[in-house]
Amino acid sequence: MPLQLSSTFYSALAEAGRPLAGMWVCSSSPLVAEICAGSGLDWLLIDAEHSPNGLESILAQLHAVSGYPLQVMVRPPVNGTVVIKQYLDLGVQNLLIPMVNSAFEAAAAVAAVRYPPHGVRGVGSALARASRWNRIPDYLATASESISLTVQIESEAAASAVEEILAVDGVDGIFLGPSDLAASMGLLGQQENPLVRAVVEHCLEAAKAAGKPAGVNAFNESTARAYLDAGASFVLVGADVAVLARESERFAKTFIPTPEVVERDSY
Ligand SMILES: O=C(O)C(=O)C[C@H](O)[C@@H](O)CO
């Protein structure tokens, strides 16, 4: 029986017939990635934009989660042809490209994931995990069927161009980043601000009109539910590192007496 690659994020979304819920893996740890993979969530996003991940640690995490029935997406640090080629050759099948601000930038990402004549992806898969070292029959001809591309809308410029970005052939879906969006609107740290939420909802509507799925980052449960009600097809509702940070603080608060605040003279 020939080897087969798993289905993509968007095939799984269509098959599920309901929104997909997932979480970030930012710890760069294969062990933590595997713990999260067995949680029952629909998908994981391994982050390399803000997390200390290199090709080796991403590969180790892909290995760790490979036996679990969920989708895995990976976010590279930049929208770059070389880095995208390396991720694809590593066997990443679902890519989330950060900071895509225009149709031009979205088209560059599409070109990076496709072989010539449809794109500019370099040909090295025979020596790479992507094709399982040429054990996937016809990998070069069929690669694009095993890859999904999601672009991140996370600035005012991107939100203004969202219709054009959605219209780019090869963009399978969009993902809203309320934190950077808020920052670009002069509202740093205010991802829950009604002005930010209104822009997110505008983009969700644009995606619906374009017939493409849209996802959003929302760690606050009521916000996540509101975005799902507004038409989000997939959400990220937490992160490994955040769970660990908040729970370890809770342990400390529960068992360690709060030191008295010592009033000091000002020097
Ligand atoms: O702008 C956003 O929101 C995101 O892109 C998500 C962040 O990068 C993520 O680290 C959560 O804060």
Side-chain angles (χ1 to χ4, degrees), residues 53-76:
N53 260 316
L55 294 176
E56 290 85 352
S57 61
I58 293 169
L59 177 61
Q61 290 168 85
L62 294 178
H63 285 157
V65 303
S66 66
Y68 291 84
L70 87 170
Q71 289 292 321
V72 182
M73 198 178 280
V74 186
R75 180 169 74 171

Side-chain angles (χ1 to χ4, degrees), residues 3 40 71-72 83 93 131 174 189 261:
L3 272 182
Q71 289 292 321
V72 182
V83 77
Q93 289 182 245
S131 72
I174 58 170
V261 178

Side-chain angles (χ1 to χ4, degrees), residues 202-225:
H202 161 75
C203 294
L204 295 176
E205 278 163 27
K208 194 175 172 196
K212 289 190 178 176
V216 60
N217 197 45
F219 286 10
N220 177 319
E221 184 181 339
S222 68
T223 309
R225 291 199 185 282

Side-chain angles (χ1 to χ4, degrees), residues 170-213:
V171 168
D172 296 306
I174 58 170
F175 185 76
L176 284 308
S179 301
D180 280 302
L181 178 59
S184 85
M185 294 170 70
L187 298 166
L188 185 63
Q190 296 183 50
Q191 52 271 28
E192 297 286 336
N193 187 297
L195 293 173
V196 177
R197 289 178 63 152
V199 176
V200 170
E201 285 176 15
H202 161 75
C203 294
L204 295 176
E205 278 163 27
K208 194 175 172 196
K212 289 190 178 176

